[in-house]
Amino acid sequence: MGLFLDQVLVWLTTAILACLTTIFDLITGVLLTTPNVTALPQVRVLTGRSVWIVDTVFVLAFVAAGVLVMVAGGGEQSRYTVKDLLPRLVVGFTAAHFSQLACAQLIDLANALTGAVSEGGYDDGAFAAIQTHLRAAKDHTVPLLFLVLILIITVLVVMTAVQVIGRFVALLVMTSIAPLALACHALPQTDGLARLWWRAYTGCLAVPVAQAFFLTAGEQTLLDPATMLPVFGLPVDPGGTLNLLVVVVLLWTTVKIPSLMARWAGQGARGTTNMLGAAVRVVVMQQLTRTVPGLSTLRRTIT
């Protein structure tokens, strides 16, 4: 019975290690890089449609501003309104048309920062160090404990791979709607949406930069026992178990970074959510007063 269990453990360990190696091969080289999605034909088509919508809306906005001046006869209130609105319209219109250039420059900046933090090696060195520790710990760790730890590591690596795909999809969508989002700078009521886009886009690009920092720090300190462990009074060769625990903590931190960035980006959405909620409540109340008899009279009475 014990021999059979040992064979099962060996088979499971070999299968999980093979899956882990495959996943490492898939995400190595793409985890900490951001592709220039502005060059994709699909993104260019969607961006063109967004720009067309912006142009149509802004033509109507400029016409409405001119009508406002003519109808008001050039009064002080109309001049003040146009004086405040016109610069915003110009900024929103210009930002919408130069959105792809801004996105491309931000992507190049993020890749440059990632390369500087990881010394140009991106994630190759960190993943190679993790695989080295996995191979070294295989023969120096209790088989069952080793199986549990590599299973946890495999789950964390799979989560990291899924997050990479999600980040690419989010980047594609936000780049495609960039003209519409940046055009929201034109009005004070919609400026929060544009600011939310800026926070979300920069947060998405900051994810690989932060991950590069933690992976590089882990590779050069935590995964190098001669560098870190003697400082804490631990032996230089702590054994396979501690090394695997360090790998688990390092990968868990890498997995948590996108959620932290998403939380930071969502902080700017509170005011926008309140504004949209107020607009929805106004529309709902108007529809109710039109459809429910006596409700409009009751509302006027309360007011």
Side-chain angles (χ1 to χ4, degrees):
M1 187 65 181
L3 180 61
F4 174 75
L5 291 177
D6 290 340
Q7 291 178 349
V8 171
L9 287 177
V10 171
W11 180 81
L12 288 175
T13 301
T14 304
I16 294 175
L17 286 176
C19 295
L20 190 59
T21 302
T22 303
I23 299 172
F24 272 132
D25 293 339
L26 288 175
I27 65 176
T28 298
V30 300
L31 173 63
L32 302 181
T33 58
T34 303
N36 190 356
V37 296
T38 58
L40 295 176
Q42 297 85 350
V43 174
R44 291 182 176 180
V45 171
L46 294 175
T47 302
R49 295 177 182 176
S50 299
V51 171
W52 179 81
I53 296 174
V54 169
D55 291 342
T56 304
V57 172
F58 269 79
V59 167
L60 298 176
F62 281 112
V63 170
V67 171
L68 179 64
V69 174
M70 291 186 295
V71 171
E76 183 66 26
Q77 184 63 32
S78 66
R79 287 198 301 270
Y80 178 77
T81 303
V82 173
K83 183 181 67 175
D84 287 346
L85 186 60
L86 188 58
R88 284 184 169 273
L89 290 175
V90 173
V91 170
F93 187 80
T94 305
H97 282 76
F98 285 92
S99 60
Q100 297 306 293
L101 178 61
C103 291
Q105 295 299 318
L106 288 174
I107 292 173
D108 292 340
L109 177 61
N111 287 328
L113 290 175
T114 302
V117 170
S118 59
E119 298 180 352
Y122 293 103
D123 51 2
D124 298 343
F127 286 161
I130 291 174
Q131 289 177 308
T132 300
H133 282 284
L134 288 175
R135 290 190 295 267
K138 183 177 180 181
D139 299 328
H140 298 84
T141 309
V142 178
L144 183 58
L145 179 60
F146 180 74
L147 177 63
V148 172
L149 290 176
I150 64 170
L151 184 60
I152 296 174
I153 292 173
T154 303
V155 171
L156 292 174
V157 174
V158 170
M159 292 176 62
T160 304
V162 172
Q163 289 177 346
V164 170
I165 299 174
R167 179 164 59 86
F168 287 169
V169 172
L171 196 66
L172 286 171
V173 174
M174 288 191 293
T175 303
S176 300
I177 66 171
L180 294 174
L182 295 182
C184 293
H185 281 303
L187 294 176
Q189 293 79 6
T190 59
D191 186 70
L193 295 174
R195 294 179 182 272
L196 175 61
W197 181 90
W198 281 111
R199 294 176 70 91
Y201 203 81
T202 54
C204 186
L205 294 179
V207 167
V209 179
Q211 289 178 336
F213 177 81
F214 279 98
L215 288 175
T216 303
E219 176 194 355
Q220 296 181 355
T221 56
L222 297 178
L223 296 183
D224 187 2
T227 302
M228 179 64 69
L229 297 180
V231 178
F232 297 103
L234 296 174
V236 176
D237 187 11
T241 303
L242 182 57
N243 288 335
L244 291 181
L245 291 175
V246 170
V247 170
V248 169
V249 173
L250 183 62
L251 291 175
W252 179 81
T253 306
T254 305
V255 170
K256 290 293 293 182
I257 288 175
S259 61
L260 294 176
M261 290 296 177
R263 186 180 304 173
W264 171 79
Q267 290 178 354
R270 296 176 181 175
T272 304
T273 304
N274 295 334
M275 180 188 68
L276 294 176
V280 170
R281 288 193 293 271
V282 170
V283 173
V284 170
M285 287 300 300
Q286 290 180 349
Q287 294 297 324
L288 287 176
T289 54
R290 294 176 181 176
T291 57
V292 180
L295 187 58
S296 58
T297 305
L298 177 62
R299 190 184 67 173
R300 289 195 296 269
T301 302
I302 295 176
T303 305

